[in-house]
Amino acid sequence: MGGEIHEYTELLEDTRRQALDRMVQNATLMGANAVLSMRFDSSEIGSTMSEIVAYGTAVIVVPDATATPVAE
């Protein structure tokens, strides 16, 4: 008994990718060039559906012109 259902795993991976793509698209529309503290959240809807949401904080990252470069 048990084991992985490969089709379901692939479906969840595709769904996570779609949620991530939508989050990036929305952040871009807001003028952001980065997303911080990105997370996925999931829940079951009934006994046959799952919901996956990607969220984070949309920010604008700019280089610090006064920063001293770090030697490697």
Side-chain angles (χ1 to χ4, degrees), residues 7-72:
E7 293 82 6
Y8 186 66
T9 301
E10 289 177 18
L11 179 62
L12 290 176
E13 288 176 359
D14 289 343
T15 304
R16 281 191 294 269
R17 171 56 56 195
Q18 288 177 16
L20 182 61
D21 290 346
R22 287 179 183 159
M23 182 192 64
V24 169
Q25 184 179 33
N26 286 327
T28 302
L29 288 172
M30 295 171 63
N33 64 1
V35 175
L36 301 179
S37 300
M38 183 269 162
R39 295 181 183 199
F40 285 111
D41 192 11
S42 62
S43 60
E44 290 185 10
I45 303 171
S47 61
T48 59
M49 293 183 282
S50 294
E51 172 185 56
I52 297 179
V53 179
Y55 63 96
T57 302
V59 298
I60 298 173
V61 177
V62 295
D64 183 354
T66 63
T68 304
V70 177
E72 292 184 21

